[in-house]
Amino acid sequence: MSKLCQNLRQAIQGAGLRDGMTISFHHHLRNGDYVLNMVLQEAAQMGIRDLTVNASSLFDCHRPLIGHIQNEVVTGIITDYAAAGIGRAISEGVLKKPVTFLTHGTRPSNILNGTDHIDIAFLAAPTSDCEGNCSGKYGPSACGSLGYAFADAQRADKVVIISDNLVEYPLCDPSITEDLVDFVVQVDAIGNPAGIVSGTTQMPKDPIALKIAGYAAQAIYASGLLKEGFSFQTGAGGASLAVADSMKRIMLSEKIHGSYALGGITGYMVDMLEAGCFRAIQDVQCFDLEAVRSIRENPGHVEITAAQYASPTAKSNAASHLDVVVLGATQIDTEFNINVHTDSNNLIMGGSGGHTDVAAGAKLTVIVAPLSRARMSIVVDRVFTVSTPGSDVDLLVTQYGIAVNPRRPELKAALKDARLPVADIRELQRTAAALNGPAKPFRPAKERVVAQVFGRNNQLQDLIYGV
Amino acid sequence: MSKLCQNLRQAIQGAGLRDGMTISFHHHLRNGDYVLNMVLQEAAQMGIRDLTVNASSLFDCHRPLIGHIQNEVVTGIITDYAAAGIGRAISEGVLKKPVTFLTHGTRPSNILNGTDHIDIAFLAAPTSDCEGNCSGKYGPSACGSLGYAFADAQRADKVVIISDNLVEYPLCDPSITEDLVDFVVQVDAIGNPAGIVSGTTQMPKDPIALKIAGYAAQAIYASGLLKEGFSFQTGAGGASLAVADSMKRIMLSEKIHGSYALGGITGYMVDMLEAGCFRAIQDVQCFDLEAVRSIRENPGHVEITAAQYASPTAKSNAASHLDVVVLGATQIDTEFNINVHTDSNNLIMGGSGGHTDVAAGAKLTVIVAPLSRARMSIVVDRVFTVSTPGSDVDLLVTQYGIAVNPRRPELKAALKDARLPVADIRELQRTAAALNGPAKPFRPAKERVVAQVFGRNNQLQDLIYGV
């Protein structure tokens, strides 16, 4: 009996999709993904209703999901991140049941320990053989690491691999292996390469971003953590990349050999690996083509699962060994709580992703952000949504100075010793107010809950209300 | 909290070993393994009693186990194979409870689906980092694949990695990963390299083995399966290796490019990979240093888990895609049932290992054996132990001719067309009797059951009685 299906419909029928089931997807094809849409379209045409979509992230390429919600093909969403287009619809109340927001660490934890059951996982694979040995490293839609797909493959009742690049059995170097796979479907394209990964990582030229990056790198150096064996994660945003650039200069000039870089990986981290700043990259997700090339070619660039990355119930995880992580924020409040879920109008436009996980794990969590965006202070009295609790955040670095969490007096002293512009977070808030003029008073109405935000401990951490 | 323990005692205590628990071991260090003995010795010194040992195989280096059984430190054994020294003690009734014999495929199946629970897995690792990312490919005790250890690591309540080669975190290219590991212990040596793998694979010079091998290769060719995309498994015994040598000659001269070689891997299969006879090796276990070198260096030589290899409850497994497997036998009866558990005195001296699994999976199962051993016919009326049922066996190849299972008349016709010496299995039995003189009538007494042999379907397949 072959696993290879004639078409997606046959695979969906073979897997036994029924009303009320939970189906899952990974987000390695990012804003180029075709797979979530094609599965939901087929399910809709089959007359299936009342599905829960458990997706590691949702991008705006998934906007057709909104129609499926309106038609009640989809009635539940569990995710770690929802981009602004999907997020706005959720905030406007398209879904009757609140969205469940998890993190990149708690999602695999819940799947692996049975808290979140998956009936059928539909997993996009850039290369697969006919038995479902598959990889993200090869093929026209290569996305590199398949880190977020492993838990789904390991625990879903049925696993369907959807690929546009079928190769001879056995695929050598598989990420997900045949023992876990029920069905394989070949399609014309699993995604739009232009949306899957960016061609190159752009370093920002914006002088504010560069100033913030310089402060952040100096603060990390002053913390004493930047030494032999250093481990580091940074995001793909401009300011975060600029920090990496500053770190690289310091590491090369001081001849510091780090241990590993972690997380979603850009070409810039690959540069640092190849320059000898790190011995290894532990990669749960590739952000650009350079990262995809490197994970395919460099034995020091290792694919890890989301559970290895950051599961709170794993016996250990790479995030918990991190020295330093550099992260962004939409809002930060005077308790250092971070909001990365909602914008200044409380519209959903993101989610924790791995933010909450690595902030909890790292010895030093650095938030980099311009003090104001669109004439709004990022420092507020109280964040609209607690994505990452302030107890896990150590520094806020802005172009006007660095605020240190009062829980870290020794860190504050070290930064002052290094003559860095340390400022109280309320002082930064006042600076922003002076620059931007009086803040528009806006408190979201607390009428209808549109999303529940769960923390690292899998307890309800905050609620997001509709607008 | 570090996973790294000061010594084995600390790890055992940390893992919470108690009377009545089940502990597990893999056999990749084969007859050089020190780990099973050191754990049981420590447990005995701690006064622990009534343990069940679930080991993928037991070798004669594990003879101290007999003393632990006598002292009731160990009261239960689950294994896929027990070498003659341990086997004789079992046959002589050292253990009160019958041994459970599984196969290399059913063992991981039972562990992964919860049938066989493991409290603590003690896993020898030739290289590990302090968090338990570990590999068999590197280090002074390198054994190559860790295929039989994965299920244990994935499902045991506690996982202890025991290594003699601790490297910096993170180990790149890990087989078992930190998310699964509770404790790591460094010891002086996990095994005796001389017993772990043999230095080189010796091709037999015995003319009988070469004659059998020639017939077997010709029979495989005549079956029509030896063509582009061919997949193949053979054992490490002399006759099996000689078959591989004959196959290689045919494949090279006929320019046949196979797909994959499977199983326990020797340098001879590596030669075939490097010569282009196969595109890939799927390796659940390395038998010699050449195989260890190859799995470390050759991207086409892939480590697979025991579940990927042959689990009957996996969604598919590599064994089930095999074209041809060449296997040995201690006894074969006129129904083609195979005994690889007991010798001609019904003393335990082996076990199914993967024999039963690949015989079930392959399109063509070829048994190679000299017609007599020590003046005893290997063809008998009824095997003492049904290790592999005759329904999964197609050919018996001896130096006196080839017997074809009556279930395969078309195969018999093909062999006859190829002018191969086809013989009825009863005719071979008579030939052996004529050569050896009258057989000593020996039927084992059926008094005390010392082992239960379970089949691929996890049903009781046969019983082994004490002597």
Side-chain angles (χ1 to χ4, degrees), chain A residues 3 112 131 133 153-159 168-174 177-182 229 259-260 279-282 299-302 305 307-308 313-321, chain B residues 3 112 131 133 153-159 168-174 177-182 229 259-260 279-282 299-302 305 307-308 313-321:
Chain A
K3 294 181 183 179
L112 293 173
E131 298 294 341
N133 291 300
Q154 285 163 18
R155 285 296 190 280
D157 287 343
K158 299 289 175 187
V159 174
E168 270 186 86
Y169 178 91
L171 172 67
C172 299
D173 191 21
T177 51
E178 64 172 294
D179 50 315
L180 305 174
V181 176
D182 295 278
S259 160
Y260 67 98
R279 190 173 51 78
I281 290 177
Q282 301 202 71
H301 188 153
V302 185
T305 70
Q308 280 173 264
T313 57
K315 290 169 176 180
S316 70
N317 61 69
S320 70
H321 317 310
Chain B
K3 295 182 185 182
L112 293 172
E131 299 293 341
N133 291 300
Q154 285 163 17
R155 286 294 190 280
D157 287 343
K158 300 290 175 186
V159 174
E168 270 187 85
Y169 178 90
L171 172 67
C172 298
D173 191 22
T177 51
E178 65 172 293
D179 50 315
L180 304 175
V181 176
D182 294 278
S259 160
Y260 67 99
R279 189 173 51 77
I281 289 177
Q282 301 202 71
H301 188 154
V302 185
T305 70
Q308 281 174 264
T313 57
K315 290 169 175 180
S316 70
N317 61 70
S320 69
H321 316 311

Side-chain angles (χ1 to χ4, degrees), chain B residues 77-95:
Chain B
I77 291 180
I78 302 171
T79 193
D80 310 339
Y81 177 96
I86 303 278
R88 172 182 279 271
I90 295 167
S91 285
E92 291 173 350
V94 71
L95 201 66

Side-chain angles (χ1 to χ4, degrees), chain A residues 5 59 139 147 156 219 234 245 258 270 330 357 366 408 429:
Chain A
C5 300
F59 287 86
T234 186
D245 191 48
V270 171
T330 313
D357 305 300
V366 181
R408 300 292 306 272
Q429 190 182 17

